[in-house]
Amino acid sequence: MNVQAVKRVLKSKKALLLLITVVVIAAFYFVNPNYLSMDSIRGTMQRMSITGIMALGIACLFISGGIDLASSSECLFGGVVCGLLIKSGIPWGWAVAATLAVGGVIGALNAFLALKIGLMPFISTIAISSVLQGINLGVTNAQNIPIPNPTFAWGSRNLFGILPIPFVIMIVLIIVYEYVLKRTQFGRNMYIVGGNVYAARLSGLNPDRILTVLYINNAVVSTLAGIVLASRMQSASPLSMSDSQMDAITAAILGGIAFYGGGGDMSGCLIGILLLNFFSSGLNMLALESYWTTIASGLLLIIALMFDYLNERAAQRALKVKTTARAAAPGEAK
């Protein structure tokens, strides 16, 4: 590889992130070769699937300048609702559909509070999260709900005996979301709204309508993650996955999704998901206390936010220089 090729790789955030992921995996493999055993890789795939699915909805909101901090509670609420419906005798397919519809209602409520009432989404979604947590604990008495339905256990099975079904669902969703972002007008509008909401309105777009769709989408995707988790565990828990939202946010921003809006894609988000989860699996393999994994995830989020902030500042400076140069050139104004 020549010098120019190396420079291109280092300038590409996605390529650099992928390189870091490979280095992390190689380092942990050097410490313990069992790190890349089939069982270990399959376990990592299972664990990353839930936060990965949640990261997709969060990433779409970030791209368009929105935020929803109720994703983790929506995830657990989805598992609890689906578990209760199945336990009551409703076929699991109808239970899943009803749960996703409930997720849509929660997303619409988030959008209403943030966009129509005018509450800060940062605060209003935390309030919704608290409400959902209370309902979860109330209807379950803070106990897991067993789901003794063998046909609903697809979340614990593997495709072709190799790939966990939840991981396959995550990959399929990433492909669909990447297509929407890159190949559809709605996806392009998401970037416009996230880049400059005032310019989006002047160009004839309706930012509130786009963000409403994305709030609904995020809640539906989060409840889907809860359904997948309940299927995998064959039980619905009101208390598990407490760090899933933070991990999903970290993975999205680590993968290049702009926290300030207007940038990022799902392929980068996938790399962020892989890096975060293989790194966490490596720490678990070292038999460190669980709080070290939490500390490491927090530090990764801080680093990702710092890079995102610096990229945003650099983009603003570049735009300012370009605008100044055009204004100074007499021929440009004509």
Side-chain angles (χ1 to χ4, degrees):
M1 182 180 291
N2 57 38
V3 176
Q4 292 299 325
V6 172
K7 287 183 178 179
R8 283 196 297 270
V9 169
L10 293 177
K11 286 183 179 180
S12 170
K13 183 178 180 181
K14 212 177 294 185
L16 184 59
L17 194 64
L18 186 59
L19 179 61
I20 293 173
T21 304
V22 172
V23 170
V24 167
I25 293 173
F28 283 118
Y29 175 74
F30 179 78
V31 174
N32 187 344
N34 289 328
Y35 175 69
L36 289 182
S37 67
M38 184 54 67
D39 288 341
S40 177
I41 293 175
R42 193 179 292 120
T44 303
M45 287 179 176
Q46 282 277 18
R47 287 189 295 274
M48 78 171 64
S49 302
I50 307 304
T51 54
I53 292 172
M54 289 175 59
L56 301 180
I58 290 172
C60 287
L61 269 176
F62 282 171
I63 289 172
S64 297
I67 188 170
D68 183 352
L69 296 181
S71 298
S72 183
S73 297
E74 291 161 358
C75 171
L76 295 178
F77 188 74
V80 168
V81 170
C82 190
L84 290 174
L85 290 176
I86 293 174
K87 200 171 182 180
S88 70
I90 296 176
W92 71 263
W94 288 106
V96 168
T99 303
L100 294 177
V102 170
V105 172
I106 295 172
L109 178 59
N110 284 333
F112 177 77
L113 293 175
L115 303 173
K116 297 299 181 184
I117 302 299
L119 301 179
M120 291 180 62
F122 187 89
I123 302 300
S124 62
T125 54
I126 288 179
I128 292 296
S129 176
S130 180
V131 170
L132 294 178
Q133 287 176 8
I135 294 174
N136 281 340
L137 294 173
V139 300
T140 63
N141 293 318
Q143 301 294 321
N144 290 351
I145 302 172
I147 309 176
N149 187 330
T151 60
F152 184 64
W154 43 264
S156 60
R157 302 188 183 114
N158 299 315
L159 184 65
F160 307 124
I162 301 175
L163 297 175
I165 296 298
F167 180 78
V168 174
I169 292 173
M170 182 192 77
I171 294 298
V172 170
L173 287 175
I174 286 174
I175 293 172
V176 171
Y177 277 73
E178 182 74 358
Y179 177 84
V180 171
L181 283 173
K182 300 296 185 182
R183 302 291 183 179
T184 68
Q185 186 60 50
F186 183 81
R188 289 187 284 272
N189 291 345
M190 286 169 57
Y191 287 107
I192 296 172
V193 170
N196 190 321
V197 67
Y198 303 107
R201 286 196 176 97
L202 290 175
S203 64
L205 297 179
N206 188 333
D208 287 356
R209 183 178 300 170
I210 293 171
L211 283 168
T212 296
V213 172
L214 296 178
Y215 274 111
I216 294 173
N217 169 75
N218 181 68
V220 170
V221 168
S222 295
T223 53
L224 174 62
I227 293 168
V228 173
L229 177 63
S231 174
R232 192 184 88 191
M233 305 301 294
Q234 278 295 277
S235 67
S237 171
L239 297 171
S240 63
M241 301 295 290
S242 58
D243 296 331
S244 58
Q245 177 173 280
M246 187 61 65
D247 288 343
I249 292 173
T250 302
I253 297 177
L254 200 60
I257 301 297
F259 183 74
Y260 298 95
D265 56 34
M266 292 306 158
S267 58
C269 187
L270 173 60
I271 299 174
I273 294 167
L274 293 173
L275 174 57
L276 178 65
N277 284 274
F278 274 105
F279 181 71
S280 298
S281 295
L283 293 180
N284 292 333
M285 180 199 66
L286 296 177
L288 298 176
E289 295 290 341
S290 59
Y291 62 80
W292 284 111
T293 302
T294 304
I295 292 172
S297 297
L299 291 174
L300 282 175
L301 179 56
I302 291 172
I303 293 170
L305 284 170
M306 287 176 61
F307 275 107
D308 183 61
Y309 174 75
L310 292 174
N311 286 335
E312 177 71 12
R313 289 287 301 273
Q316 289 178 353
R317 285 196 299 268
L319 181 60
K320 186 176 181 180
V321 169
K322 189 175 181 180
T323 304
T324 304
R326 285 184 175 178
E332 295 284 341
K334 296 180 181 181

